[in-house]
Each structure stands twice: as structure tokens, then as C-alpha cells.
Amino acid sequence: QVQLVESGGGLVQPGGSLRLSCAASGFAFSNYLMSWYRQAPGKERELVAVIGARGSTNYAVAVKGRFTISRDNAKNTVNLQMNSLKPEDTAVYYCNAQFTSTRYWGQGTQVTVSS
């Protein structure tokens, strides 16, 4: 059974940091492109960061320089370190796994940036 379980969300003040984690099981994690997406209220889901099977990374312009995506293929986890958080980063953050046409999604974790 495929599972992607996100954790680490919460409420943080502007300028603060959070670390999101996604624990994967039920598929060949090391072969998959892993990504974090987010969806704010009333907005479409958008790509935040992606990490390839070999560790190459790419980021949305809005988060570049503030967020860092990483993966541990031995533990089947992908993380998103978020620094210098802004109110506009408030959203539900989703973990995604993709290999060719196969995609899996987690249930999401809420991140709220507010004073």
C-alpha cells in the first residue's frame, strides 16, 4: 500500500522556520522524483520544490533562497526546510512522488505564518 505521510506543519511567526517531512512507503522511493506543492485558500496548487532521484533540485521563484528540499533514500523520506517564512507562505503543503505517469500524493500538512 502506497503511503506518503507529511508532518511538521504548524503555526509560526513571520521570519520563523519550519521543517516539513514526508515519510514514504509502498513504492521504490529512490527511483521517484519527489516534490513539495502547496495550496493556499482560493488558489490553485503550485509547485514549491522538486528533487530528482539523483539529488538535483529546483525551486519556485517565490521560495528560492529560503527553502531547501532534501531526501534520504535510505529512510524513504523527503524534507523541506523553510526559513524566513512570510505570511504568503501560508498554505497546505503536499508531498508528491512521480515516476513517468505514476503520481502519488500525501494528505497535506497545514503551515500558517502569522503574528
Side-chain angles (χ1 to χ4, degrees):
Q1 182 183 1
V2 171
Q3 281 194 311
L4 292 173
V5 180
E6 300 99 335
S7 61
L11 173 64
V12 64
Q13 292 187 342
S17 298
L18 280 176
R19 183 177 177 85
L20 305 183
S21 293
C22 173
S25 60
F27 62 97
F29 177 84
S30 61
N31 293 338
Y32 278 65
L33 187 77
M34 298 300 299
S35 305
W36 286 95
Y37 285 73
R38 67 185 181 187
Q39 188 166 18
K43 295 188 177 181
E44 292 189 355
R45 192 171 297 189
E46 63 177 0
L47 178 65
V48 175
V50 58
I51 186 165
R54 298 181 181 180
S56 60
T57 59
N58 206 355
Y59 298 91
V61 171
V63 307
K64 200 166 188 177
R66 300 188 297 123
F67 290 12
T68 302
I69 188 170
S70 61
R71 67 190 296 162
D72 185 335
N73 288 340
K75 296 181 179 179
N76 286 5
T77 57
V78 59
N79 301 307
L80 186 68
Q81 178 67 43
M82 305 186 295
N83 299 328
S84 303
L85 283 160
K86 305 175 181 180
E88 50 264 43
D89 295 318
T90 295
V92 177
Y93 283 71
Y94 297 91
C95 179
N96 174 265
Q98 182 177 359
F99 181 73
T100 60
S101 61
T102 300
R103 299 192 75 158
Y104 304 121
W105 291 94
Q107 292 299 306
T109 185
Q110 176 70 47
V111 172
T112 302
V113 185
S114 175
S115 55

